[in-house]
Amino acid sequence: MKASELPQLLAQVALADPRVRRADEIEQRAQISMWAGILTDVPYDYALDAVHQHYAMSTWPILPADIATRWAATVRDRMLRDVDPTPSVDPDNAAAYRQALAEHRRAVITGQTPVVEHQALTAGPEAAEVEARMAKLGDYLTTEARDALFPYRPTAAARASAIRAGRTDALAVDCPVETCRAYAGRPCTRPGKGGNRHQLAVGAHPSRTEAAAVLEGAL
């Protein structure tokens, strides 16, 4: 994001949360400089959408780190799902080949080009067999091995139980609670004495469960 775009972004944020606006001109310049440094790699449209999503679920003031963290997770997801297509350049021209790959990746990261994913076997007589084998395999553990580890992995066991019972998997999203902010896959915590944190007995804050339910409904 360009520094020249920050005033407009902050103006949009202030429409939802006047607490973000700085009245002093010196503070305004310092705020723009700080946000620009943190959001330098984040596209303006993405940042604005992140602001909308934040205030749709939270009444706490948004921080530039909230936007940057969400952007980093989006980039990581896109790169993990994307497979580099074969560039339409001479493969013997190493410089041009690398440049084409780099341009494709930049386009995927910024959303200008859709993610190029592996084609899955979804039809035909072999599809049902493949689906059954994949369901049994899980990911890097077989379903049987994962179930055997549940006594030692209570968080994973609780999530699997919720999914199998058709309940909302609250840990599928980041926690919107300001004093928690647990990342997806991590249980919610609360602050304790001496700077210690304690895991919630129920595993997730109610607002996090609501956010996960909203996400499930959108999919």
Side-chain angles (χ1 to χ4, degrees):
M1 184 187 305
K2 301 176 182 177
S4 58
E5 295 175 310
L6 255 299
Q8 178 62 25
L9 177 65
L10 290 171
Q12 292 293 322
V13 174
L15 291 176
D17 189 353
R19 295 170 295 181
V20 176
R21 187 186 299 277
R22 296 292 187 270
D24 183 81
E25 292 186 4
I26 296 178
E27 290 185 354
Q28 288 178 3
R29 290 195 293 270
Q31 183 184 37
I32 291 174
S33 177
M34 176 63 72
W35 281 57
I38 296 173
L39 303 180
T40 183
D41 295 326
V42 183
Y44 174 85
D45 290 341
Y46 183 93
L48 184 58
D49 183 64
V51 171
H52 293 165
Q53 293 186 40
H54 174 86
Y55 285 109
M57 298 185 298
S58 176
T59 59
W60 289 89
I62 193 169
L63 299 174
D66 296 324
I67 301 174
T69 300
R70 188 187 293 269
W71 171 247
T74 297
V75 171
R76 182 169 60 250
D77 174 70
R78 290 174 179 174
M79 287 293 92
L80 287 175
R81 292 188 294 114
D82 183 69
V83 294
D84 291 323
T86 302
S88 57
V89 299
D90 182 0
D92 291 329
N93 187 337
Y97 197 90
R98 288 194 299 269
Q99 181 178 352
L101 287 176
E103 290 176 351
H104 165 76
R105 292 171 184 175
R106 282 194 298 270
V108 170
I109 287 174
T110 57
Q112 300 175 34
T113 297
V115 172
V116 179
E117 301 186 75
H118 285 295
Q119 296 298 311
L121 180 62
T122 58
E126 294 85 3
E129 180 184 354
V130 171
E131 184 176 351
R133 289 186 179 183
M134 292 301 295
K136 182 178 179 62
L137 179 62
D139 42 33
Y140 63 91
L141 290 176
T142 64
T143 302
E144 290 82 356
R146 187 181 302 282
D147 289 348
L149 291 173
F150 279 162
Y152 310 99
R153 306 174 68 191
T155 299
R159 295 187 68 187
S161 177
I163 294 171
R164 291 172 180 175
R167 299 192 303 273
T168 297
D169 177 18
L171 271 61
V173 299
D174 295 346
C175 182
V177 176
E178 185 69 22
T179 56
C180 177
R181 296 290 191 182
Y183 292 116
R186 303 293 300 173
C188 286
T189 61
R190 58 178 176 80
K193 295 182 179 180
N196 295 322
R197 300 196 63 83
H198 304 289
Q199 183 174 325
L200 297 191
V202 294
H205 287 99
S207 56
R208 187 179 188 182
T209 302
E210 293 174 2
V214 171
L215 178 63
E216 288 181 359
L219 297 179

